[in-house]
C-alpha cells in the first residue's frame, strides 16, 4: 500500500488529513477534536490531492459541520490489515449513521462470537476513523469504551451525540443496542 495522494479538510476543531493509494483511502488523520483551534501539520509538498481525497475531505468537512453524511461510496484500501480485522472493519463500516453496536455484536457478525476483544483491537487499528465509524461501537452494557483518536472517549460521545444518539443514562443506550440487533 503506497500512499500517493493527500488532501486536507477544515473543521471548527482544526485541520484533518485524508491519504489515499490508487486503491482507495488509506488513512484519515482527525484534528484534535478534544480542543478547538488545534491545527495539524501542513501537507508535505511531495503529495498531491486526487479526486478521491478531495471528495472524502469534502464529505468529512460537511460531516463535522453537522450534516448527515454516509461514507459508503468511498473506496477504502485495507490491504495492510489482517483478514479478521478487515472483516470486522467492513462490518463496522455498514453501521448506519446514528446507530450503535456492541463489540460482542460485531464479533458475532464476524463469525467469532467470543472475539469481542479482537474486535476492539481491529477498531484500535482502524486507519480511517469516521469513514469506518468505530465510534459507533460501545460496550455490551452501553458504556463508552476505548477510542484511540485524539480526544478519546469524550470525542466518541461528541460524535455519537452529533449523530443523534441520546445519553440519558445507561438504560437508554442498552435499549438502543437491543433495538439495533
Amino acid at each position: 500500500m503506497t500512499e500517493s495522494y493527500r488532501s486536507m479538510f477544515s473543521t471548527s476543531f482544526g485541520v484533518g488529513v485524508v491519504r489515499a493509494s490508487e486503491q482507495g483511502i488509506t488513512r484519515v488523520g482527525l484534528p484534535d477534536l478534544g480542543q478547538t483551534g488545534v491545527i495539524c501539520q501542513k501537507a508535505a509538498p511531495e503529495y498531491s490531492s486526487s479526486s478521491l481525497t478531495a471528495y472524502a475531505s469534502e464529505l468529512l468537512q460537511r460531516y463535522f459541520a453537522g450534516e448527515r453524511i454516509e461514507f459508503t461510496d468511498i473506496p477504502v484500501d485495507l490491504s495492510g490489515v489482517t483478514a479478521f480485522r478487515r472483516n470486522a472493519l467492513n462490518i463496522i463500516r455498514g453501521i448506519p449513521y446514528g446507530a450503535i453496536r456492541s463489540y460482542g455484536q460485531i464479533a458475532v457478525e464476524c463469525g467469532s462470537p467470543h472475539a469481542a476483544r479482537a474486535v476492539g483491537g481491529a477498531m484500535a487499528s482502524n486507519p480511517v476513523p469516521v469513514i469506518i465509524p468505530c465510534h459507533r461501537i460501545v460496550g455490551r452494557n452501553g458504556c463508552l469504551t476505548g477510542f484511540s483518536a485524539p480526544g478519546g472517549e469524550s470525542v466518541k460521545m461528541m460524535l455519537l451525540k452529533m449523530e443523534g444518539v441520546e445519553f440519558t443514562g445507561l438504560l437508554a443506550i442498552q435499549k438502543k443496542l437491543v433495538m439495533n440487533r
Side-chain angles (χ1 to χ4, degrees):
M1 163 178 54
T2 303
E3 292 177 343
S4 303
Y5 307 103
R6 183 183 296 185
S7 292
M8 309 297 272
F9 63 95
S10 296
T11 74
S12 60
F13 304 99
V15 177
V17 62
V18 176
R19 299 177 188 173
S21 68
E22 294 293 334
Q23 287 72 44
I25 301 299
T26 56
R27 190 159 305 282
V28 171
L30 297 177
D32 187 344
L33 302 171
Q35 304 176 25
T36 58
V38 175
I39 299 175
C40 70
Q41 74 281 0
K42 293 184 179 180
E46 68 270 10
Y47 290 96
S48 59
S49 66
S50 68
S51 59
L52 177 59
T53 59
Y55 176 61
S57 291
E58 175 193 338
L59 290 182
L60 284 161
Q61 190 165 322
R62 289 171 44 203
Y63 172 85
F64 283 109
E67 283 187 50
R68 182 185 180 117
I69 302 291
E70 299 287 348
F71 297 95
T72 53
D73 64 334
I74 295 181
V76 173
D77 180 358
L78 295 174
S79 60
V81 178
T82 67
F84 177 84
R85 287 182 174 187
R86 187 170 35 255
N87 184 35
L89 292 171
N90 282 325
I91 289 168
I92 292 165
R93 189 164 191 208
I95 299 171
Y97 185 100
I100 57 174
R101 302 286 187 281
S102 71
Y103 295 89
Q105 287 172 315
I106 300 302
V108 167
E109 288 187 53
C110 285
S112 301
H114 301 292
R117 286 185 185 209
V119 168
M123 290 176 26
S125 68
N126 178 8
V128 288
V130 179
I131 292 175
I132 296 179
C134 55
H135 63 280
R136 296 178 186 155
I137 308 299
V138 299
R140 72 174 174 214
N141 62 359
C143 290
L144 297 183
T145 59
F147 192 63
S148 58
E153 291 172 16
S154 62
V155 169
K156 186 174 192 171
M157 179 179 277
M158 181 198 72
L159 293 173
L160 290 171
K161 282 183 175 181
M162 191 173 76
E163 292 185 12
V165 175
E166 293 183 26
F167 290 87
T168 56
L170 187 58
L171 187 57
I173 296 292
Q174 289 172 329
K175 285 180 183 176
K176 188 151 183 135
L177 276 171
V178 171
M179 291 175 17
N180 285 325
R181 288 186 186 194

